[in-house]
Amino acid sequence: MLFSWLMDQKEMRSSFPSVQSFISRVVEKLDVGSDKVRVSVVQYSDDPRPEFLLNSHSNKQDVMDAIRRLRVKGGRQTNTGEALSYVTKSVFTINGGSRIQEGVPQFLILLTAGKSTDDVRRAALALKHTGVAPFTIGSRDADDEELRQISLSPDYVFRVDDLRNVGTLEQRLESPLSTLTRDQVVQIQRRILEGKEALSVDDRNSFDRNIPSAYSSDLDTAQGTWVLDTVNAEQESISVCVPGAVKRDVVFLVDGSEKMRSSFPSVQSFISRVVEKLDVGSDKVRVSVVQYSDDPRPEFLLNSHSNKQDVMDAIRRLRVKGGRQTNTGEALSYVTKSVFTINGGSRIQEGVPQFLILLTAGKSTDDVRRAALALKHTGVAPFTIGSRDADDEELRQISLSPDYVFRVDDLRNVGTLEQRLESPLSTLTRDQVVQIQRRILEGKEALSVEYPIESYY
């Protein structure tokens, strides 16, 4: 695996120590070595400046020492486009220490505090043409559209109000950096580009020509990043999801209490649009919807409908359940015992990936921790979507990892999350879910021995 850090320095002087510490902590968790994970750091402002390349250091201690010696570059401009071009031509190359031609996954982590003073679009596209997976981290003054243009997908755009708070993103980066494979990166890039109606024919054709080989080094643009080049033997054995050919079971668990009444039509429409994009069928993707408030109520199970039209019709017939309480814990227990089962239509024992999408407008009126842990023990990957009144800690306890906690101010705006859900639903494999769960659970020192990690297997 290869990681390259690209850091904007125009507005970074006050936040640079926090960014430096963040990079150090992320690298500390990596298995750094010349035949394992390689790391590079590039700063940029008016122009890019490599601090060290992927082949500059062969062990973790030397990399950590080099990070500690970093000093802010300074400069008046933020030429992110030029920096992206530089890393494409000079870092993600054989001479720069990259193993891109060997098929080693390549990651770029861009940290920026403002809008670019040059154009980023073509440079970002050229970088992604080589097979690199860019993640973007921006402060409040960074431009949302630019971050999305540069990033692998909207799932990998991270925001903080101030880069002095960048440390809060550490855990959210850990999962994609350790689980994404080269093939999955290519699949995500192809799907994103094929979905852009405004993409020029030249760009689309260029992508199709380059992505199968994935590794031409003569493209014209790439920008400043923190680059890590890593080899992970476990990744080679992970199966890859092929869109349209994958089986998965997807359960929507919807808060149907009274506080959801005004937003329920928006939630209903959101579920419909997500399902519309799935390859629904009894031997493909199965879908279930469960509402809950004081108690859970199944609207339809995973084996209730065998084709997309019947599922879409059932979603259109949904009406808000009503109720005073929001017993999320009881609802989680219900789907564990009655939906993610053979009788409920689940193919969990066949190894089919299992997903739960929870939508809630408030804090649970019962305890969720044990129910969430039991659900994840079965191998289910929960994603959580909450409004402003939902409890952050509860959403994190329930979710597969912090990467899959999604927030909106009001669930009437839940449609804005549609694209962000698409990538994990279509690419996460059962093996990756297990890896993420194992890592999260092994990191919790307070985990009860009553729930050993081995119960996953």
Side-chain angles (χ1 to χ4, degrees), residues 315-366:
I315 294 170
R316 277 191 285 272
R317 290 193 296 268
L318 294 175
R319 296 295 180 268
V320 66
K321 180 179 186 295
R324 294 185 176 183
Q325 294 186 307
T326 307
N327 288 324
T328 308
E330 182 181 350
L332 292 172
S333 295
Y334 173 80
V335 294
T336 302
K337 296 175 181 178
S338 302
V339 182
F340 289 108
T341 62
I342 295 176
N343 288 340
S346 170
R347 295 162 292 178
I348 194 166
Q349 293 188 344
E350 300 172 31
V352 174
Q354 309 284 297
F355 296 92
L356 175 80
I357 302 172
L358 168 71
L359 298 104
T360 183
K363 181 175 172 61
S364 179
T365 43
D366 63 355

Side-chain angles (χ1 to χ4, degrees), residues 16 20 43 49 51-52 56-57 61-72:
F16 189 79
Q20 187 175 19
Q43 287 194 65
R49 183 181 75 192
E51 299 295 341
F52 54 92
S56 297
H57 305 295
Q61 189 57 55
D62 288 349
V63 171
M64 297 294 286
D65 290 343
I67 294 169
R68 278 190 286 271
R69 290 194 296 268
L70 294 175
R71 296 296 179 268
V72 66

Side-chain angles (χ1 to χ4, degrees), residues 64-355:
M64 297 294 286
D65 290 343
I67 294 169
R68 278 190 286 271
R69 290 194 296 268
L70 294 175
R71 296 296 179 268
V72 66
K73 180 180 185 292
R76 295 185 177 184
Q77 293 185 308
T78 305
N79 289 324
T80 307
E82 183 181 350
L84 292 174
S85 295
Y86 173 81
V87 295
T88 301
K89 294 176 179 179
S90 302
V91 180
F92 289 109
T93 61
I94 294 175
N95 289 340
S98 169
R99 294 163 292 178
I100 195 166
Q101 293 187 342
E102 300 172 30
V104 174
Q106 312 281 298
F107 296 91
L108 174 78
I109 303 170
L110 168 70
L111 298 103
T112 183
K115 181 175 172 61
S116 179
T117 44
D118 64 355
D119 182 66
V120 305
R121 181 181 173 277
R122 296 192 66 82
L125 192 59
L127 174 67
K128 287 183 276 193
H129 275 174
T130 67
V132 174
F135 300 166
T136 55
I137 299 174
S139 70
R140 77 169 76 88
D141 295 324
D143 185 83
D144 281 331
E145 180 59 28
E146 281 186 353
L147 296 180
R148 285 193 294 269
Q149 286 178 347
I150 296 167
S151 183
L152 173 64
S153 86
D155 296 326
Y156 305 111
V157 174
F158 304 96
R159 297 302 297 259
V160 285
D161 188 57
D162 189 304
L163 283 178
R164 284 175 288 194
N165 300 322
V166 70
T168 60
L169 299 177
E170 187 179 335
Q171 193 175 17
R172 293 183 63 192
L173 269 181
E174 185 179 344
S175 172
L177 285 179
S178 60
T179 61
L180 272 179
T181 66
R182 171 193 166 185
D183 287 343
Q184 286 181 308
V185 168
V186 170
Q187 286 177 6
I188 293 169
Q189 288 174 328
R190 184 182 294 278
R191 189 178 63 253
I192 294 294
L193 288 175
E194 287 177 348
K196 291 185 184 295
E197 295 180 3
L199 189 66
S200 73
V201 173
D202 287 344
D203 285 341
R204 191 184 298 274
N205 290 340
S206 175
F207 177 80
D208 287 335
R209 285 195 304 271
N210 284 283
I211 213 65
S213 61
Y215 300 113
S216 61
S217 60
D218 57 353
L219 295 165
D220 63 351
T221 52
Q223 300 202 355
T225 73
W226 156 34
V227 181
L228 300 101
D229 174 343
T230 69
V231 169
N232 185 334
E234 290 183 339
Q235 287 190 340
E236 298 306 317
S237 64
I238 295 175
S239 58
V240 177
C241 294
V242 180
V246 174
K247 297 179 180 181
R248 48 198 59 227
D249 297 334
V250 180
V251 177
F252 292 88
L253 181 59
V254 182
D255 174 359
S257 61
E258 283 302 321
K259 57 181 170 290
M260 282 283 286
R261 194 167 292 278
S262 64
S263 55
F264 191 80
S266 300
V267 169
Q268 186 175 18
S269 176
F270 169 73
I271 295 173
S272 182
R273 289 196 307 273
V274 171
V275 171
E276 179 61 40
K277 294 182 179 180
L278 299 175
D279 190 15
V280 175
S282 58
D283 61 343
K284 298 175 183 176
V285 178
R286 296 184 184 179
V287 179
S288 168
V289 174
V290 176
Q291 278 196 74
Y292 74 97
S293 52
D294 306 275
D295 55 5
R297 182 182 76 192
E299 300 293 343
F300 55 92
L301 298 177
L302 290 163
N303 54 4
S304 297
H305 304 295
S306 59
N307 62 73
K308 182 181 288 185
Q309 189 57 55
D310 287 350
V311 171
M312 296 295 285
D313 290 344
I315 294 170
R316 277 191 285 272
R317 290 193 296 268
L318 294 175
R319 296 295 180 268
V320 66
K321 180 179 186 295
R324 294 185 176 183
Q325 294 186 307
T326 307
N327 288 324
T328 308
E330 182 181 350
L332 292 172
S333 295
Y334 173 80
V335 294
T336 302
K337 296 175 181 178
S338 302
V339 182
F340 289 108
T341 62
I342 295 176
N343 288 340
S346 170
R347 295 162 292 178
I348 194 166
Q349 293 188 344
E350 300 172 31
V352 174
Q354 309 284 297
F355 296 92

